[in-house]
Amino acid sequence: QRHAPGQRPPPPSNSPAPPPPRPPSSSAGAGATFDENQLPSVKSGFYTVEQERSMRSKTCRFIEEAGRTLKLPRLTSSTAMVLFQRFYAVHSFADHDRFEVTVACMLLAAKTEESPKKLTTVIQECHRLKSMSARRSGGSLGEGVNDDGTLDMNSKEFIRLKERTLLLERVILHTIGFELSIDHPHKFLPEQAAKLI
């Protein structure tokens, strides 16, 4: 079959499909495994792997308790935990106070999951829980703390923590690349359980 000048013939119908692109050969590319020794706090020597695990576990329990106190949906607490874990996968515990980051994660998660809470409410409830824990361990509560463990709203510490929380909220967003869409595995468990019944 002839074709007009300049006209390209159609490809044969039995021509093979082009091969898929090959994954990058770098160790940081597809298929790379997670290594706890590469976490910033561990890599810098600030924490051992075991200490890092302990801090993350303790903080997640704190977030769980704070979520119940604030009457937040379970999904919101789970999102706060994910934000916390992702933040410290990039930053060292030596560079950012764990409590301050936790408060910011709680505030941001509440907004993300459409269960917003006032900044003052989140700060006060989280600080009350922190103070209760300090009392149980015989620690000092510091200045500007009321008898119930909340902060005096006119104290320098409250004003500082309020400003720091708002700053960290932005730092967290930049750290996670503004990726706020999180697929929690427990959302799918009821569906799978229903199929087994």
Side-chain angles (χ1 to χ4, degrees), residues 136-152:
R136 285 194 295 267
S137 60
S140 174
L141 298 184
E143 297 182 1
V145 182
N146 299 318
D147 292 338
D148 63 352
T150 59
L151 283 167
D152 179 354

Side-chain angles (χ1 to χ4, degrees), residues 21-186:
R22 298 179 64 182
S25 58
S26 169
S27 59
T33 57
F34 175 71
D35 184 1
E36 287 179 287
N37 291 297
Q38 296 304 311
L39 289 169
S41 303
V42 177
K43 199 172 181 180
S44 66
F46 185 74
Y47 279 153
T48 64
V49 169
E50 290 73 21
Q51 289 172 327
E52 174 99 8
R53 290 175 186 168
S54 177
M55 288 298 103
R56 289 172 179 268
S57 178
K58 287 178 180 178
T59 306
C60 285
R61 288 198 296 271
F62 181 90
I63 290 173
E64 183 76 27
E65 181 62 26
R68 283 196 291 267
T69 303
L70 290 163
K71 295 181 172 57
L72 291 170
R74 183 68 183 80
L75 183 64
T76 301
S77 297
S78 297
T79 296
M81 293 179 197
V82 172
L83 295 175
F84 176 85
Q85 299 282 13
R86 290 182 178 178
F87 180 83
Y88 280 113
V90 177
H91 298 280
S92 171
F93 281 91
D95 297 331
H96 298 280
D97 181 81
R98 182 166 57 103
F99 175 73
E100 294 172 357
V101 171
T102 300
V103 174
C105 287
M106 295 289 296
L107 182 69
L108 182 56
K111 294 177 183 178
T112 302
E113 301 301 342
E114 299 181 355
S115 51
K117 294 289 181 179
K118 292 181 179 179
L119 172 59
T120 299
T121 302
V122 176
I123 289 176
Q124 294 290 41
E125 288 303 320
C126 286
H127 200 279
R128 186 179 64 80
L129 288 175
K130 179 185 177 184
S131 298
M132 288 171 56
S133 177
R135 279 200 181 103
R136 285 194 295 267
S137 60
S140 174
L141 298 184
E143 297 182 1
V145 182
N146 299 318
D147 292 338
D148 63 352
T150 59
L151 283 167
D152 179 354
M153 293 176 64
N154 294 317
S155 68
K156 292 181 179 179
E157 177 59 18
F158 177 81
I159 295 171
R160 186 199 69 78
L161 186 54
K162 188 175 180 181
E163 293 175 351
R164 180 68 177 158
T165 301
L166 292 173
L167 172 63
L168 278 170
E169 188 179 22
R170 295 193 295 272
V171 175
I172 293 168
L173 282 170
H174 281 280
T175 299
I176 64 174
F178 294 87
E179 180 53 64
L180 293 170
S181 178
I182 300 171
D183 290 326
H184 294 287
H186 74 266

